[in-house]
Amino acid sequence: MAELTEELSLVKGEEPAVPAKAGTNGKADKAGKDGKADPEPATNGGKAPLDVPTGTPTVIVDDLHIVYRVYGAATDAEKGNAVNALTRMLKRQGRPQMKEVHAVKGVSFVAYHGDAIGIVGRNGSGKSTLLRAIAGLLPPHAGAVYTDGQPSLLGVNAALMRDLTGERNIVLGCYAMGMTPAEVREKFQEIVDFSGIDEFVQLPMSTYSSGMGARLRFAISSAKTHDVLLIDEALATGDREFRKKSEKRIRQIREEAGTVFLVAHDLRVIEETCNRVIWLHKGKIKMDGDPKEVLAAYNKG
């Protein structure tokens, strides 16, 4: 805690040595310093999505499969306690009722600098699993994910320390993204103003409402220009004014040559913010292309 207090004081004082940048979970091949890569054609009936950037790929998902193994027990004799585990060992029995859940099935696409890609689908279609795989948090069962730069995943459960104040969480969050103390000092007040938490910044996170916590998470994550920013329902708990500010910030990230993936059940936000939409159905891409066309088909389906 003493070290954290010292780091917090440095945000308003002199700049110390710059910490090392965080690593990446993969690299996508670039076309060259001034080269351009051709956009991959969409699967939307042979029509290419509108407003598709033609720059360097930032994310390549190649025949990705994600499989979960779930162990359960339906009867008292199979429940996972020490006695039954010992009994199975003596009888040389395996674990009871192992079930594989194939969450993502053969997904392939390419995202480019400046893309804002909305991902839609029913609950359980694999949207959050796909984002976690792109972020490097889930290992592929088959296939691969390549990224240019370090993806940053922002979700409704993004890690903030509830016992610490908003001020200290801002400092820790910015350092975790690889920002220097000078950059933290520069962005600190902007983060507070954007989140709208005002004087609550001096209070512990445990006193915040869900909406305040969501606003602070997004403000911290979007304070830095990311190569790839993954947003998983993080805007769902914000009010109308905050959603407008968030949409404006996402457009700004796109203009600064970043790539944004957005999972949201509010289709209006996706239509107004994204230039491309991927529709996932039971772990597979059902449609990929222009937001209006994909969302119209999704609403009919």
Side-chain angles (χ1 to χ4, degrees), residues 19-198:
K21 297 280 186 177
T24 62
N25 73 320
K27 289 289 181 181
D29 291 335
K30 297 188 177 182
K33 184 176 180 181
D34 298 320
K36 299 291 183 179
D38 294 327
E40 187 173 272
T43 58
N44 181 21
K47 297 181 180 179
L50 300 180
D51 189 27
V52 175
T54 58
T56 304
T58 53
V59 177
I60 299 175
V61 178
D62 181 19
D63 193 24
L64 179 66
H65 294 260
I66 300 293
V67 177
Y68 293 103
R69 287 183 174 85
V70 181
Y71 297 91
T75 65
D76 291 338
E78 294 177 334
K79 287 184 178 179
N81 55 50
V83 175
N84 289 332
L86 179 60
T87 302
R88 289 196 304 272
M89 290 175 62
L90 294 175
K91 293 182 179 180
R92 297 184 178 181
Q93 295 176 341
R95 294 184 180 182
Q97 294 188 341
M98 189 278 288
K99 182 179 179 181
E100 289 190 346
V101 178
H102 205 158
V104 175
K105 306 172 183 176
V107 169
S108 297
F109 64 87
V110 179
Y112 298 87
H113 280 294
D115 258 338
I117 301 176
I119 301 178
V120 299
R122 308 300 179 193
N123 290 336
S125 60
K127 303 184 300 295
S128 296
T129 300
L130 177 60
L131 289 195
R132 290 176 62 82
I134 295 173
L137 301 177
L138 289 177
H141 180 76
V145 177
Y146 307 95
T147 64
D148 178 17
Q150 177 65 45
S152 177
L153 176 62
L154 170 62
V156 290
N157 295 319
L160 288 180
M161 303 184 70
R162 289 176 52 83
D163 294 335
L164 298 182
T165 64
E167 183 178 24
R168 291 188 173 184
N169 271 292
I170 291 173
V171 174
L172 287 175
C174 290
Y175 282 169
M177 294 189 298
M179 296 175 65
T180 67
E183 291 172 331
V184 177
R185 290 198 298 271
E186 180 182 350
K187 293 290 186 178
F188 182 85
Q189 192 58 45
E190 178 183 330
I191 293 172
V192 174
D193 294 340
F194 187 90
S195 64
I197 61 175
D198 300 325

Side-chain angles (χ1 to χ4, degrees), residues 251-262:
R251 293 190 184 96
Q252 181 182 358
I253 292 173
R254 287 184 57 196
E255 292 171 358
E256 294 173 351
T259 302
V260 178
F261 287 85
L262 175 61

